[in-house]
Amino acid sequence: MRKLKRIFEYLSLYIKYIGFFLYTKKDFKMDFPFPPKPFYRIFKPIFWIRFFPHYYRRKKSQLKYSYNIAEYWKKEQWKQDDYLTWLQKVFQKQYPRVASDEIFFKICKTEPNNILEVGAGSGHSAACFLSYYLNYQFKKNQDFQKIKKIDFTGIDLSSLRIKFAKTYLPIFLNKHIEYIKLNFVSGDASKMKYSDKQFDFTLVPSVLERVDDESIEDLVKEMCRVTYKGVFVSDFYDQMPDGFPRSPKILSKLFSKHGFNLTYEKINYVKIPRKENAELHCFFERNEG
């Protein structure tokens, strides 16, 4: 009986999504990646199961915030998870998307003093990177007492999400919090008050595909200004129709204007519970020449 109830609730919700699409189809614009990557996903039911909820979420936010993406992130009242749900999302959903063994290892072996995360949200991506960092340090030293301390700064437009990052990450790190100085702030990453080259590396997880063409230039310029060595971008490659994903070629042009060259790119086809994503990983390093 419970299973039938769940099926009925799911069908009712999906009918609402399709009905909303039909109602707003006069405003429909093909301003999102289509066809998906890889192309054969268009023949999978899961693609269309996800298409209509994505369209619904995007159109609702556009109607509510007059197409102002920054206002959306500042004012949207996100439904917050309890700690156990937050922890589950870190490793079931976020880690497969944002983690890169090759780039995380490259960052960690330089023994960075400080890291900046742009679009820190509720701390999911920070938990992924810091887990990798602690594991790297332990494998290297075989002793947690010898872990090199690191400063980790996160910035996000949503003060609500930052509040939860400040709450959950210290619990997550537990006794290892003494090795990591956390500093999470709400603010606009395109107008940061940090000094030039203040951070060794900057992490940008699932952020740039949410930024429109009018805003991305200022954001990239500011990230490059405050970063000394490299910027790691993890992005949706086919966020349809709920974002503005860009190819490595387009991102490379944006970063090269400010002295950073694309040195690594990879597209991962990630399968997580009930979803399938195409994820783009890019690493940009400062050109000191």
Side-chain angles (χ1 to χ4, degrees):
M1 190 68 182
R2 187 179 299 174
K3 188 175 181 181
L4 287 174
K5 183 180 178 181
R6 192 179 300 123
I7 292 172
F8 178 77
E9 289 174 349
Y10 179 81
L11 287 174
S12 299
L13 186 63
Y14 202 69
I15 289 171
K16 181 183 80 169
Y17 291 147
I18 296 176
F20 182 82
F21 173 79
L22 294 174
Y23 177 72
T24 59
K25 64 182 176 62
K26 61 181 179 296
D27 300 322
F28 184 75
K29 297 178 182 178
M30 287 292 290
D31 56 346
F32 51 85
F34 194 87
K37 316 247 182 349
F39 176 80
Y40 66 78
R41 292 176 65 208
I42 199 172
F43 300 109
K44 288 189 171 185
I46 193 171
F47 176 87
W48 298 106
I49 288 173
R50 293 182 61 210
F51 179 93
F52 292 104
H54 273 294
Y55 177 85
Y56 178 84
R57 184 172 64 182
R58 177 179 184 173
K59 185 63 69 173
K60 277 287 189 180
S61 67
Q62 288 176 342
L63 293 173
K64 186 176 181 180
Y65 297 103
S66 301
Y67 295 83
N68 189 320
I69 301 298
E71 286 299 304
Y72 168 70
W73 287 104
K74 284 180 184 178
K75 295 182 178 179
E76 182 70 11
Q77 293 300 299
W78 309 95
K79 179 183 177 182
Q80 293 301 317
D81 305 312
D82 59 29
Y83 178 68
L84 289 179
T85 306
W86 178 92
L87 189 63
Q88 186 181 46
K89 284 185 177 180
V90 168
F91 295 108
Q92 281 197 345
K93 181 178 179 180
Q94 200 74 357
Y95 198 89
R97 287 169 47 187
V98 305
S100 167
D101 283 338
E102 185 167 348
I103 300 304
F104 278 13
F105 178 78
K106 187 170 186 173
I107 292 174
C108 289
K109 75 176 182 179
T110 67
E111 300 286 330
N113 293 311
N114 45 44
I115 299 287
L116 171 67
E117 182 186 355
V118 170
S122 301
H124 295 96
S125 298
C128 296
F129 176 79
L130 293 172
S131 296
Y132 191 98
Y133 177 79
L134 289 169
N135 186 62
Y136 172 86
Q137 287 286 327
F138 181 73
K139 287 169 67 177
K140 177 183 176 183
N141 300 300
Q142 295 299 308
D143 185 353
F144 276 120
Q145 302 301 317
K146 297 179 180 178
I147 287 178
K148 182 183 183 296
K149 293 185 179 181
I150 187 174
D151 289 356
F152 192 97
T153 298
I155 184 170
D156 195 276
L157 284 166
S158 171
S159 57
L160 179 63
R161 286 188 156 191
I162 287 295
K163 173 186 174 182
F164 278 85
K166 288 179 176 179
T167 301
Y168 289 158
L169 267 171
I171 301 172
F172 174 80
L173 293 168
N174 197 358
K175 65 180 181 180
H176 306 307
I177 190 66
E178 63 184 286
Y179 306 113
I180 299 167
K181 182 180 178 182
L182 295 175
N183 180 34
F184 282 84
V185 297
S186 58
D188 188 344
S190 65
K191 302 172 184 176
M192 293 183 282
K193 296 181 180 179
Y194 305 119
S195 59
D196 294 355
K197 301 181 181 179
Q198 180 170 334
F199 301 97
D200 290 328
F201 295 95
T202 293
L203 310 178
V204 197
S206 300
V207 172
L208 297 187
E209 92 276 349
R210 296 289 186 179
V211 181
D212 57 30
D213 290 337
E214 294 180 2
S215 307
I216 195 169
E217 287 272 2
D218 290 339
L219 177 57
V220 170
K221 180 181 179 180
E222 186 69 349
M223 290 192 301
C224 292
R225 181 186 69 79
V226 302
T227 306
Y228 177 46
K229 297 180 180 178
V231 179
F232 174 56
V233 174
S234 172
D235 248 355
F236 280 118
Y237 195 47
D238 65 345
Q239 179 73 330
M240 47 67 183
D242 195 28
F244 309 88
R246 298 169 177 89
S247 69
K249 184 178 180 180
I250 293 174
L251 291 176
S252 181
K253 288 181 179 179
L254 288 167
F255 278 89
S256 64
K257 292 180 182 179
H258 307 290
F260 280 74
N261 295 331
L262 177 64
T263 59
Y264 175 89
E265 63 176 271
K266 184 177 181 181
I267 299 174
N268 296 324
Y269 301 109
V270 180
K271 291 185 178 181
I272 53 180
R274 298 188 301 277
K275 291 185 179 180
E276 183 184 73
N277 294 326
E279 303 287 340
L280 174 64
H281 288 173
C282 290
F283 191 59
F284 303 89
E285 295 184 80
R286 180 177 288 278
N287 178 12
E288 295 295 348

